[in-house]
Amino acid sequence: MIRLAGITKVYHMGEDVTVNALAGIDLEIGAREFVAVMGPSGSGKSTLMNIIGCLDRPSGGRYTLDGIDVARMSDRELAQVRNARIGFVFQTFNLLPRMTALRNVELPLVYAGVARGTRHRPATPAPRHRRPPAALARVGLADRTRHRPSQLSGGQRQRVAIARALVNNPSIVFADEPTGNLDTATGSEIMDLLADLHDAGATIILVTHEAAVAAYAGRVIHLRDGRITRDEARTPD
Amino acid sequence: MIRLAGITKVYHMGEDVTVNALAGIDLEIGAREFVAVMGPSGSGKSTLMNIIGCLDRPSGGRYTLDGIDVARMSDRELAQVRNARIGFVFQTFNLLPRMTALRNVELPLVYAGVARGTRHRPATPAPRHRRPPAALARVGLADRTRHRPSQLSGGQRQRVAIARALVNNPSIVFADEPTGNLDTATGSEIMDLLADLHDAGATIILVTHEAAVAAYAGRVIHLRDGRITRDEARTPD
Ligand SMILES: Nc1ncnc2c1ncn2[C@@H]1O[C@H](COP(=O)(O)OP(=O)(O)OP(=O)(O)O)[C@@H](O)[C@H]1O
Ligand SMILES: Nc1ncnc2c1ncn2[C@@H]1O[C@H](COP(=O)(O)OP(=O)(O)OP(=O)(O)O)[C@@H](O)[C@H]1O
Ligand SMILES: [Mg+2]
Ligand SMILES: [Mg+2]
C-alpha cells in the first residue's frame, strides 16, 4: 500500500551546508498495519511522516501509494488524498489560534465538503455533522469545545489535534508523538482509541519515544541519521 | 523561599462559565530543592508554574518570594526578577520564529544587558558573551545554531528552549515537560544537565508525566483539579 524506495530529503542551507534529513529510506507498509517509529531527536521521524502523509515531497527516490506514484500527483490531487484518507496529528499540534476547539475539529469536514450546507448544496445529513462534538467528547474534551487554543492546557491542545485528525474517519492515521504532553492515564485512553480505530480497519503509523506506547504497535521501525536501522515485527501485548 | 497561600486562578468565560484552574494552593518550596509536579492533563500544572515563575498573577491568595509579596511588585519589577533569577522552559517552547537558535538563546542575555556592546556601553567580557554557543553545545545543538525554529525538529526546538532558559545561570529553573519531545537517551542527557545545575545550587521545579523523569527529584507534588492531592519527599535514586 505504502511503498518507499530510496527516499531522500535534503535541505540546503546557505554557505554550502547540507542537511540530509532522510538518507535513503526503503520501506513498505501494508494496509491495516500498526507501526511505531522510534529514534533519536533529529533522526528524521517527522520528516518521514510528512512525506508518507503527503504533506511534503522527497528530494529523491520514489513513493507509491496504492500503486500511484505520488510525485506525479498535482498539489490538488495530493490535497484530496490527504483530506479523504489521511488523518495527521502534528508534533506541534498546528491548531488555528483564533478558532475554538470545535471549529478546529470541524475544519477537515469543511474541506471535505461535508459540513454545513451552503446556498449551492444542502447540509450533509446529521450523523456526519455531529462528528466534531463526538470526536471531542471521545478525547475527554466535551467541556472545552468553546475554548480557543490559548485557553487550553498543552495536553488539551494535543487532544484537539487528535480529534481533528480522526473526525474524517481516515483510513491512514499518522500520529507524531501523540502522548508527549499527556499524563499516563490520559495517554492510555488515547492509545486505546487508536487501537479501536486499528481494529476497525485503519492503518496507524505513529512516532513515539515511549516504550509503553510502542507496545501497542505490531511493528517497530528505528531511525538514526535519516536511515532505518531496525525494522521488527513484534507480538502486540 | 517560595511560599503560596490559598492561591487561586479563575478564568471567566462568557455566559456564566467559570474555570477554576487553581482552586486553593498552599505550598512552600525551599532554596535548592528539586521538585517534580505531576497530575492529569488540565489539572493546573502549567498554571501553577506560570504563577510561581512570575509569568502570571493569581486571582486570589498570596505568593511571597524570599519574603516579598509578589502581588505588590510592579510589572517591571516582576520582569527584573524573571530575567535575573528565573529560567523557564515552556511546554510549547515559545521560540521566536524569525530568529536563529543562537539568537533565541541570546535573548535573555540581551534583556539582562549582558550581551553585545552598544554605543553607550562596552560589550560585556567574553565569558558571558560566549554563553549562548556553549549553552547550545551542552544540549547537543552545536551544529544547529543558525537554524530557525521551522528548520529544527520538535526535540531540537525543545532543546533550544532549554538552552535559552539556562543561559543566564538562573537560581530557579522551571521546566514544563522538558523531555516530552525527546527520545529516552537525549532526555536523560537533559535530566543529567538539570541534575548538575541542582548540584551547583539551583532550585529546580519541573512538570513531567514520566516516572523516570520524576525520579531525579527529591520531592513529588501531585495535582488534580487545581488542588494538591499529594506532596511527598522521596529518596533520589
Ligand atoms: N485562558 C484560559 N481560559 C480558560 N481556561 C483556561 C485558560 N488557560 C487554561 N485554562 C484551563 O485551565 C486548566 C488548567 O490548565 P493548565 O494548562 O494549567 O493544565 P496542565 O495541568 O498544565 O495540563 P497539561 O498536562 O495538559 O499541560 C485547563 O482545564 C484549561 O482548560
Ligand atoms: N527546513 C529545514 N532546514 C534544515 N534542516 C531541517 C529542516 N527541517 C528539519 N531539518 C533537520 O532535519 C533533521 C530531521 O528532522 P525531523 O524533524 O524529521 O527529526 P525528528 O526525528 O522528528 O526529531 P524529534 O524527535 O526531535 O522530533 C533534523 O536534524 C533537523 O534539524
Ligand atoms: Mg519530530
Ligand atoms: Mg501543561
Side-chain angles (χ1 to χ4, degrees):
Chain A
M1 180 179 86
I2 284 168
R3 185 165 300 174
L4 281 72
I7 290 290
T8 59
K9 182 72 182 183
V10 185
Y11 293 106
H12 298 283
M13 320 211 35
E15 329 136 16
D16 250 14
V17 177
T18 297
V19 177
N20 292 307
L22 294 178
I25 299 283
D26 300 312
L27 178 61
E28 285 187 30
I29 297 174
R32 308 186 72 138
E33 283 201 51
F34 194 146
V35 182
V37 179
M38 305 185 82
S41 173
S43 56
K45 306 179 296 295
S46 296
T47 305
L48 179 64
M49 295 277 278
N50 290 342
I51 285 171
I52 305 177
C54 299
L55 290 161
D56 192 12
R57 293 183 187 271
S59 308
R62 202 146 172 259
Y63 171 26
T64 46
L65 178 62
D66 291 343
I68 302 174
D69 186 344
V70 174
R72 314 232 152 151
M73 291 186 182
S74 65
D75 283 350
R76 198 167 140 280
E77 287 170 306
L78 274 186
Q80 280 174 345
V81 167
R82 281 199 305 268
N83 284 331
R85 302 195 49 190
I86 288 172
F88 209 108
V89 186
F90 296 94
Q91 188 170 9
T92 48
F93 320 153
N94 298 355
L95 301 178
L96 296 188
R98 291 200 209 146
M99 294 186 171
T100 62
L102 187 66
R103 194 79 186 117
N104 265 284
V105 175
E106 285 178 343
L107 271 185
L109 294 180
V110 173
Y111 289 139
V114 299
R116 318 150 191 219
T118 65
R119 60 178 181 278
H120 305 293
R121 180 168 48 74
T124 311
R128 272 186 150 177
H129 194 87
R130 259 192 264 120
R131 255 187 225 160
L136 281 167
R138 215 159 44 223
V139 295
L141 293 178
D143 57 354
R144 289 285 182 276
T145 56
R146 297 207 196 165
H147 288 232
R148 290 187 309 277
S150 63
Q151 297 169 322
L152 292 171
S153 77
Q156 290 168 346
R157 289 177 211 173
Q158 186 154 39
R159 285 182 275 158
V160 174
I162 292 164
R164 179 183 63 182
L166 306 183
V167 73
N168 234 346
N169 259 339
S171 52
I172 312 173
V173 178
F174 294 86
D176 199 341
E177 293 282 1
T179 62
N181 281 286
L182 300 176
D183 57 283
T184 308
T186 310
S188 301
E189 288 168 30
I190 293 304
M191 291 313 299
D192 289 343
L193 169 52
L194 291 178
D196 289 347
L197 292 173
H198 179 240
D199 289 343
T203 305
I204 314 276
I205 305 171
L206 62 80
V207 172
T208 184
H209 68 267
E210 298 189 54
V213 172
Y216 283 77
R219 177 182 174 192
V220 181
I221 292 168
H222 292 265
L223 282 190
R224 175 175 287 277
D225 297 324
R227 296 174 199 278
I228 293 176
T229 55
R230 227 194 322 166
D231 185 347
E232 300 175 319
R234 55 175 299 285
T235 342
D237 304 335
Chain B
M1 178 180 88
I2 285 169
R3 186 164 300 175
L4 282 72
I7 290 292
T8 59
K9 182 72 181 181
V10 184
Y11 293 107
H12 298 284
M13 320 211 35
E15 328 136 16
D16 248 15
V17 176
T18 297
V19 176
N20 292 307
L22 294 178
I25 299 281
D26 300 312
L27 177 62
E28 285 187 30
I29 296 175
R32 307 186 72 140
E33 284 201 50
F34 195 147
V35 182
V37 179
M38 306 185 80
S41 174
S43 56
K45 306 179 297 296
S46 296
T47 304
L48 179 63
M49 294 277 277
N50 290 342
I51 284 171
I52 305 176
C54 299
L55 291 161
D56 193 13
R57 293 183 186 269
S59 307
R62 201 145 173 260
Y63 170 26
T64 47
L65 177 62
D66 290 342
I68 302 174
D69 186 345
V70 175
R72 314 234 152 147
M73 290 185 181
S74 65
D75 283 350
R76 198 167 141 282
E77 286 170 308
L78 274 186
Q80 281 173 345
V81 167
R82 282 199 305 266
N83 284 329
R85 302 197 47 191
I86 289 172
F88 207 109
V89 186
F90 296 93
Q91 188 171 8
T92 49
F93 320 154
N94 298 356
L95 301 178
L96 296 187
R98 291 199 209 146
M99 294 187 170
T100 62
L102 186 66
R103 194 77 186 117
N104 265 282
V105 175
E106 285 178 342
L107 272 185
L109 294 181
V110 173
Y111 289 141
V114 298
R116 318 155 189 214
T118 65
R119 60 177 180 278
H120 305 293
R121 182 169 46 76
T124 311
R128 271 185 150 177
H129 193 85
R130 259 193 263 119
R131 254 187 228 159
L136 280 167
R138 214 158 47 222
V139 295
L141 294 178
D143 57 356
R144 288 286 181 274
T145 56
R146 298 208 194 164
H147 287 233
R148 290 188 310 277
S150 63
Q151 299 169 322
L152 293 171
S153 76
Q156 289 168 346
R157 289 177 211 174
Q158 186 156 39
R159 284 182 274 158
V160 174
I162 291 164
R164 179 182 63 182
L166 305 184
V167 74
N168 235 346
N169 259 340
S171 51
I172 312 172
V173 179
F174 294 87
D176 199 341
E177 294 281 1
T179 62
N181 281 285
L182 300 176
D183 57 284
T184 308
T186 311
S188 301
E189 287 168 31
I190 294 303
M191 291 313 300
D192 289 343
L193 169 53
L194 291 179
D196 288 348
L197 293 174
H198 179 240
D199 289 343
T203 305
I204 314 276
I205 305 171
L206 62 80
V207 172
T208 184
H209 67 266
E210 297 188 54
V213 172
Y216 283 76
R219 177 181 174 194
V220 182
I221 292 168
H222 292 265
L223 282 190
R224 175 176 287 278
D225 297 325
R227 296 172 199 280
I228 294 176
T229 56
R230 225 193 325 164
D231 184 348
E232 300 175 320
R234 55 175 300 286
T235 343
D237 303 335

